[in-house]
Amino acid sequence: MDRRKFLKLAGLSVTLAGGVPGFLNREVKARAYTPPPGALTARRWGMAIDVKKCWEEPNCNECIKACHHLHNVPDIPDKKREVKWIWKDEFEHVFPDKPNEFNNIIFTHKPFLLLCNHCEHPPCVRVCPTQATFKREDGIVMMDYHRCIGCRFCMAACPFGARSFNWVDPRPYIKDPNPKFPTRMKGVVEKCLFCYERLEKGKMPACVEACKKKALIFGDLEDEHSEIVQVLKSRFSIRRKSELGTGPSVFYLL
């Protein structure tokens, strides 16, 4: 079933050609969140990715390895059934609205890091019929696996392809399980959660800590004194499909 049919089943009007879907930039009510003592807090968490620093180690996947090990992401060899929380792709797929003959020369075969954009107006939250996916006050778009019924409305609504569906039982594909983080089951959707469980312990996301080149900058987008805001003020950055109005919280520094 294509995206249009999914969204119609969810009772949403769509304009997939010649305009911006109206539901994408509508306000989503955030859930209240009380952080535990010692937690890292923010009014709106966000991430900036310095792509030039990332390119200095083109074959480095330490951020992906750290994330996937910590969160028990299965290593499924079948590309049609793979599960991804953080991954890499080429410019033409990451920014399909921005290529031109010159960009293609500059960015050809260059890896761009991808993950959930934790949108300010997340369409995935709006379409979820069970509230299995929801937005917290600090901007993190969460998943409650116990409430997920596998309808995949959120996957159809997400314009970034940032969600994966467990077509098979993922547990046999986890080589070194982390007992401190729950494994999932067949029939549920999953994605990056900005390492909420590490933030609650006063730690930065695993991908940020694992990056050898310090290419990932994580912080409060609503704190003018935070490192991420200072970097975004001084460097040119782009966001994926920003014209849709979802308000991605992941920025790419060029």
Tab-separated table of all heavy atoms in Angstrom, residues 76-120:
chain	number	residue	atom	x	y	z
A	76	ILE	N	20.417	-7.625	10.111
A	76	ILE	CA	19.700	-8.497	9.192
A	76	ILE	C	20.262	-8.299	7.783
A	76	ILE	O	20.206	-7.192	7.242
A	76	ILE	CB	18.188	-8.186	9.215
A	76	ILE	CG1	17.638	-8.390	10.639
A	76	ILE	CG2	17.438	-9.063	8.216
A	76	ILE	CD1	16.184	-8.019	10.803
A	77	PRO	N	20.822	-9.310	7.170
A	77	PRO	CA	21.475	-9.152	5.869
A	77	PRO	C	20.542	-8.797	4.726
A	77	PRO	O	20.971	-8.178	3.746
A	77	PRO	CB	22.135	-10.524	5.636
A	77	PRO	CG	21.372	-11.472	6.495
A	77	PRO	CD	20.946	-10.682	7.694
A	78	ASP	N	19.279	-9.157	4.828
A	78	ASP	CA	18.310	-8.845	3.782
A	78	ASP	C	17.986	-7.355	3.810
A	78	ASP	O	17.382	-6.864	4.770
A	78	ASP	CB	17.038	-9.665	3.998
A	78	ASP	CG	16.018	-9.491	2.883
A	78	ASP	OD1	16.206	-8.598	2.027
A	78	ASP	OD2	15.028	-10.248	2.870
A	79	LYS	N	18.369	-6.618	2.766
A	79	LYS	CA	18.178	-5.163	2.725
A	79	LYS	C	16.706	-4.764	2.803
A	79	LYS	O	16.376	-3.672	3.268
A	79	LYS	CB	18.794	-4.591	1.450
A	79	LYS	CG	20.314	-4.615	1.428
A	79	LYS	CD	20.891	-3.692	2.483
A	79	LYS	CE	22.405	-3.664	2.446
A	79	LYS	NZ	22.965	-2.801	3.515
A	80	LYS	N	15.830	-5.623	2.356
A	80	LYS	CA	14.405	-5.301	2.389
A	80	LYS	C	13.828	-5.432	3.796
A	80	LYS	O	12.722	-4.971	4.052
A	80	LYS	CB	13.646	-6.218	1.427
A	80	LYS	CG	13.989	-5.986	-0.043
A	80	LYS	CD	13.172	-6.898	-0.944
A	80	LYS	CE	13.494	-6.641	-2.407
A	80	LYS	NZ	12.711	-7.535	-3.313
A	81	ARG	N	14.572	-6.081	4.686
A	81	ARG	CA	14.078	-6.289	6.036
A	81	ARG	C	15.006	-5.707	7.095
A	81	ARG	O	14.791	-5.926	8.291
A	81	ARG	CB	13.886	-7.793	6.291
A	81	ARG	CG	12.834	-8.426	5.402
A	81	ARG	CD	12.606	-9.883	5.755
A	81	ARG	NE	11.519	-10.463	4.991
A	81	ARG	CZ	11.037	-11.686	5.162
A	81	ARG	NH1	11.567	-12.471	6.090
A	81	ARG	NH2	10.047	-12.135	4.425
A	82	GLU	N	16.028	-4.975	6.683
A	82	GLU	CA	16.996	-4.458	7.639
A	82	GLU	C	16.379	-3.420	8.561
A	82	GLU	O	15.397	-2.755	8.215
A	82	GLU	CB	18.192	-3.851	6.901
A	82	GLU	CG	17.879	-2.592	6.121
A	82	GLU	CD	19.110	-2.020	5.439
A	82	GLU	OE1	20.226	-2.403	5.808
A	82	GLU	OE2	18.943	-1.181	4.529
A	83	VAL	N	16.975	-3.284	9.733
A	83	VAL	CA	16.547	-2.298	10.733
A	83	VAL	C	17.693	-1.314	10.930
A	83	VAL	O	18.838	-1.722	11.128
A	83	VAL	CB	16.186	-2.990	12.068
A	83	VAL	CG1	15.843	-1.954	13.133
A	83	VAL	CG2	15.011	-3.953	11.860
A	84	LYS	N	17.375	-0.004	10.872
A	84	LYS	CA	18.409	1.029	10.975
A	84	LYS	C	17.973	2.115	11.946
A	84	LYS	O	16.862	2.615	11.868
A	84	LYS	CB	18.664	1.659	9.599
A	84	LYS	CG	19.096	0.687	8.526
A	84	LYS	CD	19.212	1.387	7.171
A	84	LYS	CE	17.877	1.854	6.666
A	84	LYS	NZ	17.935	2.409	5.302
A	85	TRP	N	18.871	2.459	12.850
A	85	TRP	CA	18.655	3.620	13.711
A	85	TRP	C	19.499	4.789	13.222
A	85	TRP	O	19.081	5.931	13.276
A	85	TRP	CB	19.009	3.282	15.166
A	85	TRP	CG	17.949	2.513	15.884
A	85	TRP	CD1	17.135	1.546	15.354
A	85	TRP	CD2	17.584	2.639	17.264
A	85	TRP	NE1	16.300	1.060	16.321
A	85	TRP	CE2	16.549	1.708	17.508
A	85	TRP	CE3	18.044	3.425	18.307
A	85	TRP	CZ2	15.950	1.561	18.769
A	85	TRP	CZ3	17.462	3.279	19.564
A	85	TRP	CH2	16.417	2.365	19.784
A	86	ILE	N	20.696	4.494	12.791
A	86	ILE	CA	21.586	5.509	12.239
A	86	ILE	C	22.374	4.836	11.112
A	86	ILE	O	22.848	3.714	11.270
A	86	ILE	CB	22.512	6.103	13.329
A	86	ILE	CG1	23.442	7.163	12.747
A	86	ILE	CG2	23.283	5.041	14.068
A	86	ILE	CD1	24.215	7.931	13.822
A	87	TRP	N	22.473	5.500	9.982
A	87	TRP	CA	23.102	4.889	8.817
A	87	TRP	C	23.636	5.971	7.880
A	87	TRP	O	23.494	7.167	8.142
A	87	TRP	CB	22.106	3.979	8.097
A	87	TRP	CG	20.991	4.670	7.370
A	87	TRP	CD1	20.876	4.886	6.023
A	87	TRP	CD2	19.796	5.234	7.941
A	87	TRP	NE1	19.700	5.533	5.717
A	87	TRP	CE2	19.015	5.759	6.878
A	87	TRP	CE3	19.312	5.339	9.248
A	87	TRP	CZ2	17.789	6.385	7.081
A	87	TRP	CZ3	18.081	5.981	9.442
A	87	TRP	CH2	17.344	6.477	8.382
A	88	LYS	N	24.250	5.558	6.783
A	88	LYS	CA	24.823	6.501	5.826
A	88	LYS	C	24.217	6.298	4.442
A	88	LYS	O	23.837	5.188	4.071
A	88	LYS	CB	26.348	6.335	5.739
A	88	LYS	CG	27.100	6.755	6.989
A	88	LYS	CD	28.602	6.570	6.805
A	88	LYS	CE	29.382	7.004	8.043
A	88	LYS	NZ	30.839	6.815	7.870
A	89	ASP	N	24.144	7.399	3.694
A	89	ASP	CA	23.687	7.323	2.313
A	89	ASP	C	24.319	8.468	1.533
A	89	ASP	O	24.915	9.380	2.126
A	89	ASP	CB	22.161	7.407	2.235
A	89	ASP	CG	21.613	6.714	0.991
A	89	ASP	OD1	22.380	6.525	0.020
A	89	ASP	OD2	20.415	6.367	0.992
A	90	GLU	N	24.175	8.449	0.218
A	90	GLU	CA	24.796	9.454	-0.630
A	90	GLU	C	23.907	10.683	-0.780
A	90	GLU	O	22.689	10.628	-0.573
A	90	GLU	CB	25.132	8.860	-1.996
A	90	GLU	CG	26.164	7.753	-1.916
A	90	GLU	CD	26.568	7.237	-3.290
A	90	GLU	OE1	26.033	7.744	-4.305
A	90	GLU	OE2	27.422	6.342	-3.353
A	91	PHE	N	24.520	11.787	-1.174
A	91	PHE	CA	23.871	13.091	-1.240
A	91	PHE	C	22.566	13.068	-2.030
A	91	PHE	O	21.558	13.638	-1.598
A	91	PHE	CB	24.839	14.105	-1.863
A	91	PHE	CG	24.275	15.495	-2.008
A	91	PHE	CD1	24.221	16.346	-0.921
A	91	PHE	CD2	23.786	15.952	-3.228
A	91	PHE	CE1	23.690	17.629	-1.035
A	91	PHE	CE2	23.261	17.230	-3.359
A	91	PHE	CZ	23.221	18.062	-2.251
A	92	GLU	N	22.568	12.429	-3.188
A	92	GLU	CA	21.384	12.458	-4.047
A	92	GLU	C	20.173	11.797	-3.408
A	92	GLU	O	19.031	12.115	-3.754
A	92	GLU	CB	21.696	11.801	-5.388
A	92	GLU	CG	22.070	10.342	-5.297
A	92	GLU	CD	22.353	9.734	-6.649
A	92	GLU	OE1	22.271	10.465	-7.652
A	92	GLU	OE2	22.662	8.534	-6.705
A	93	HIS	N	20.409	10.892	-2.458
A	93	HIS	CA	19.303	10.247	-1.749
A	93	HIS	C	18.927	11.001	-0.479
A	93	HIS	O	17.756	11.017	-0.089
A	93	HIS	CB	19.683	8.807	-1.388
A	93	HIS	CG	19.996	7.965	-2.576
A	93	HIS	ND1	21.060	7.079	-2.612
A	93	HIS	CD2	19.412	7.878	-3.801
A	93	HIS	CE1	21.090	6.483	-3.780
A	93	HIS	NE2	20.109	6.957	-4.529
A	94	VAL	N	19.910	11.624	0.144
A	94	VAL	CA	19.658	12.375	1.374
A	94	VAL	C	18.964	13.697	1.091
A	94	VAL	O	18.052	14.106	1.803
A	94	VAL	CB	20.986	12.625	2.126
A	94	VAL	CG1	20.727	13.403	3.413
A	94	VAL	CG2	21.678	11.306	2.442
A	95	PHE	N	19.412	14.372	0.040
A	95	PHE	CA	18.840	15.670	-0.344
A	95	PHE	C	18.385	15.623	-1.805
A	95	PHE	O	18.967	16.269	-2.676
A	95	PHE	CB	19.878	16.784	-0.153
A	95	PHE	CG	20.348	16.939	1.265
A	95	PHE	CD1	21.570	16.414	1.657
A	95	PHE	CD2	19.574	17.586	2.212
A	95	PHE	CE1	22.019	16.544	2.960
A	95	PHE	CE2	20.016	17.718	3.519
A	95	PHE	CZ	21.232	17.193	3.897
A	96	PRO	N	17.328	14.880	-2.095
A	96	PRO	CA	16.886	14.728	-3.483
A	96	PRO	C	16.377	16.016	-4.110
A	96	PRO	O	16.302	16.131	-5.334
A	96	PRO	CB	15.755	13.687	-3.380
A	96	PRO	CG	15.256	13.815	-1.974
A	96	PRO	CD	16.477	14.131	-1.164
A	97	ASP	N	16.044	17.010	-3.265
A	97	ASP	CA	15.534	18.279	-3.769
A	97	ASP	C	16.640	19.285	-4.055
A	97	ASP	O	16.373	20.365	-4.575
A	97	ASP	CB	14.578	18.890	-2.740
A	97	ASP	CG	15.218	19.031	-1.363
A	97	ASP	OD1	16.004	18.138	-0.985
A	97	ASP	OD2	14.932	20.023	-0.664
A	98	LYS	N	17.904	18.949	-3.740
A	98	LYS	CA	18.964	19.939	-3.855
A	98	LYS	C	20.056	19.626	-4.879
A	98	LYS	O	20.967	20.418	-5.057
A	98	LYS	CB	19.627	20.161	-2.491
A	98	LYS	CG	18.682	20.822	-1.481
A	98	LYS	CD	19.348	21.006	-0.144
A	98	LYS	CE	18.471	21.839	0.781
A	98	LYS	NZ	17.191	21.205	1.070
A	99	PRO	N	20.038	18.509	-5.571
A	99	PRO	CA	21.160	18.233	-6.479
A	99	PRO	C	21.156	19.118	-7.715
A	99	PRO	O	20.110	19.562	-8.191
A	99	PRO	CB	20.933	16.765	-6.870
A	99	PRO	CG	19.457	16.578	-6.761
A	99	PRO	CD	19.047	17.422	-5.581
A	100	ASN	N	22.334	19.419	-8.187
A	100	ASN	CA	22.507	20.053	-9.494
A	100	ASN	C	23.834	19.551	-10.056
A	100	ASN	O	24.568	18.830	-9.373
A	100	ASN	CB	22.459	21.586	-9.397
A	100	ASN	CG	23.537	22.153	-8.504
A	100	ASN	OD1	24.720	21.860	-8.681
A	100	ASN	ND2	23.139	22.971	-7.527
A	101	GLU	N	24.156	19.930	-11.273
A	101	GLU	CA	25.339	19.375	-11.926
A	101	GLU	C	26.634	19.678	-11.181
A	101	GLU	O	27.601	18.915	-11.254
A	101	GLU	CB	25.439	19.908	-13.351
A	101	GLU	CG	25.491	21.438	-13.431
A	101	GLU	CD	25.469	21.927	-14.865
A	101	GLU	OE1	26.286	21.448	-15.658
A	101	GLU	OE2	24.619	22.779	-15.188
A	102	PHE	N	26.650	20.768	-10.411
A	102	PHE	CA	27.863	21.119	-9.671
A	102	PHE	C	27.915	20.401	-8.325
A	102	PHE	O	28.972	19.924	-7.903
A	102	PHE	CB	27.943	22.635	-9.479
A	102	PHE	CG	27.905	23.378	-10.794
A	102	PHE	CD1	26.762	24.045	-11.204
A	102	PHE	CD2	29.012	23.372	-11.633
A	102	PHE	CE1	26.719	24.712	-12.416
A	102	PHE	CE2	28.980	24.034	-12.849
A	102	PHE	CZ	27.831	24.700	-13.241
A	103	ASN	N	26.775	20.356	-7.621
A	103	ASN	CA	26.734	19.630	-6.357
A	103	ASN	C	27.077	18.163	-6.557
A	103	ASN	O	27.737	17.543	-5.723
A	103	ASN	CB	25.337	19.732	-5.730
A	103	ASN	CG	25.112	21.063	-5.047
A	103	ASN	OD1	26.053	21.784	-4.770
A	103	ASN	ND2	23.857	21.386	-4.793
A	104	ASN	N	26.613	17.618	-7.673
A	104	ASN	CA	26.886	16.210	-7.940
A	104	ASN	C	28.377	15.943	-8.028
A	104	ASN	O	28.862	14.883	-7.648
A	104	ASN	CB	26.192	15.772	-9.228
A	104	ASN	CG	24.684	15.680	-9.057
A	104	ASN	OD1	24.185	15.638	-7.944
A	104	ASN	ND2	23.960	15.659	-10.159
A	105	ILE	N	29.124	16.914	-8.550
A	105	ILE	CA	30.575	16.762	-8.662
A	105	ILE	C	31.223	16.860	-7.281
A	105	ILE	O	32.097	16.073	-6.914
A	105	ILE	CB	31.163	17.842	-9.595
A	105	ILE	CG1	30.655	17.630	-11.019
A	105	ILE	CG2	32.683	17.817	-9.562
A	105	ILE	CD1	31.038	18.736	-11.974
A	106	ILE	N	30.752	17.822	-6.484
A	106	ILE	CA	31.328	18.052	-5.156
A	106	ILE	C	31.015	16.917	-4.189
A	106	ILE	O	31.877	16.452	-3.444
A	106	ILE	CB	30.808	19.383	-4.572
A	106	ILE	CG1	31.249	20.559	-5.441
A	106	ILE	CG2	31.302	19.572	-3.140
A	106	ILE	CD1	30.608	21.873	-5.041
A	107	PHE	N	29.782	16.453	-4.220
A	107	PHE	CA	29.320	15.514	-3.203
A	107	PHE	C	29.245	14.054	-3.646
A	107	PHE	O	28.827	13.199	-2.879
A	107	PHE	CB	27.936	15.932	-2.696
A	107	PHE	CG	27.914	17.271	-2.036
A	107	PHE	CD1	26.999	18.242	-2.416
A	107	PHE	CD2	28.804	17.574	-1.019
A	107	PHE	CE1	26.965	19.480	-1.799
A	107	PHE	CE2	28.785	18.809	-0.394
A	107	PHE	CZ	27.863	19.766	-0.781
A	108	THR	N	29.633	13.778	-4.875
A	108	THR	CA	29.484	12.413	-5.374
A	108	THR	C	30.183	11.389	-4.486
A	108	THR	O	31.326	11.571	-4.079
A	108	THR	CB	30.026	12.311	-6.817
A	108	THR	OG1	29.772	10.995	-7.317
A	108	THR	CG2	31.516	12.577	-6.889
A	109	HIS	N	29.456	10.347	-4.143
A	109	HIS	CA	29.942	9.239	-3.317
A	109	HIS	C	30.338	9.653	-1.896
A	109	HIS	O	30.982	8.881	-1.180
A	109	HIS	CB	31.122	8.536	-3.987
A	109	HIS	CG	30.822	8.040	-5.362
A	109	HIS	ND1	29.720	7.266	-5.648
A	109	HIS	CD2	31.470	8.225	-6.544
A	109	HIS	CE1	29.697	6.984	-6.934
A	109	HIS	NE2	30.737	7.547	-7.510
A	110	LYS	N	29.955	10.855	-1.480
A	110	LYS	CA	30.255	11.289	-0.124
A	110	LYS	C	29.182	10.760	0.836
A	110	LYS	O	27.988	10.847	0.552
A	110	LYS	CB	30.299	12.816	-0.031
A	110	LYS	CG	31.410	13.467	-0.836
A	110	LYS	CD	32.765	13.197	-0.222
A	110	LYS	CE	33.851	14.018	-0.917
A	110	LYS	NZ	35.193	13.758	-0.358
A	111	PRO	N	29.577	10.213	1.985
A	111	PRO	CA	28.590	9.670	2.929
A	111	PRO	C	27.953	10.751	3.799
A	111	PRO	O	28.642	11.626	4.331
A	111	PRO	CB	29.423	8.714	3.773
A	111	PRO	CG	30.795	9.327	3.774
A	111	PRO	CD	30.965	9.960	2.420
A	112	PHE	N	26.653	10.686	3.935
A	112	PHE	CA	25.915	11.570	4.835
A	112	PHE	C	25.248	10.701	5.900
A	112	PHE	O	24.631	9.688	5.587
A	112	PHE	CB	24.858	12.377	4.078
A	112	PHE	CG	25.412	13.541	3.301
A	112	PHE	CD1	26.047	13.331	2.088
A	112	PHE	CD2	25.302	14.837	3.787
A	112	PHE	CE1	26.561	14.395	1.360
A	112	PHE	CE2	25.809	15.910	3.059
A	112	PHE	CZ	26.446	15.681	1.846
A	113	LEU	N	25.384	11.121	7.138
A	113	LEU	CA	24.839	10.362	8.254
A	113	LEU	C	23.343	10.654	8.397
A	113	LEU	O	22.923	11.819	8.351
A	113	LEU	CB	25.573	10.749	9.534
A	113	LEU	CG	25.579	9.752	10.692
A	113	LEU	CD1	26.222	8.436	10.266
A	113	LEU	CD2	26.329	10.359	11.874
A	114	LEU	N	22.561	9.613	8.606
A	114	LEU	CA	21.109	9.761	8.705
A	114	LEU	C	20.585	9.153	9.998
A	114	LEU	O	21.107	8.143	10.476
A	114	LEU	CB	20.432	9.079	7.520
A	114	LEU	CG	20.801	9.585	6.126
A	114	LEU	CD1	20.146	8.725	5.067
A	114	LEU	CD2	20.396	11.028	5.966
A	115	LEU	N	19.540	9.761	10.536
A	115	LEU	CA	18.863	9.275	11.728
A	115	LEU	C	17.519	9.971	11.813
A	115	LEU	O	17.209	10.817	10.964
A	115	LEU	CB	19.692	9.552	12.988
A	115	LEU	CG	19.940	11.017	13.369
A	115	LEU	CD1	20.272	11.104	14.862
A	115	LEU	CD2	21.090	11.612	12.583
A	116	CYS	N	16.720	9.618	12.799
A	116	CYS	CA	15.448	10.310	12.997
A	116	CYS	C	15.717	11.796	13.210
A	116	CYS	O	16.631	12.172	13.943
A	116	CYS	CB	14.721	9.732	14.209
A	116	CYS	SG	13.232	10.658	14.679
A	117	ASN	N	14.901	12.659	12.591
A	117	ASN	CA	15.110	14.097	12.679
A	117	ASN	C	14.439	14.744	13.895
A	117	ASN	O	14.591	15.936	14.109
A	117	ASN	CB	14.609	14.773	11.400
A	117	ASN	CG	15.578	14.620	10.259
A	117	ASN	OD1	16.457	15.451	10.050
A	117	ASN	ND2	15.443	13.544	9.501
A	118	HIS	N	13.686	13.965	14.665
A	118	HIS	CA	13.033	14.483	15.873
A	118	HIS	C	12.405	15.855	15.588
A	118	HIS	O	12.759	16.871	16.188
A	118	HIS	CB	14.019	14.548	17.032
A	118	HIS	CG	14.496	13.192	17.438
A	118	HIS	ND1	13.815	12.381	18.311
A	118	HIS	CD2	15.578	12.466	17.027
A	118	HIS	CE1	14.456	11.220	18.454
A	118	HIS	NE2	15.521	11.248	17.682
A	119	CYS	N	11.473	15.820	14.650
A	119	CYS	CA	10.877	17.046	14.113
A	119	CYS	C	10.101	17.848	15.164
A	119	CYS	O	9.529	17.282	16.107
A	119	CYS	CB	9.936	16.700	12.970
A	119	CYS	SG	10.741	15.876	11.580
A	120	GLU	N	10.079	19.128	14.949
A	120	GLU	CA	9.287	20.008	15.808
A	120	GLU	C	7.798	19.729	15.616
A	120	GLU	O	6.999	19.821	16.551
A	120	GLU	CB	9.609	21.467	15.488
A	120	GLU	CG	8.948	22.459	16.405
A	120	GLU	CD	9.380	23.885	16.128
A	120	GLU	OE1	10.089	24.130	15.134
A	120	GLU	OE2	8.989	24.779	16.919
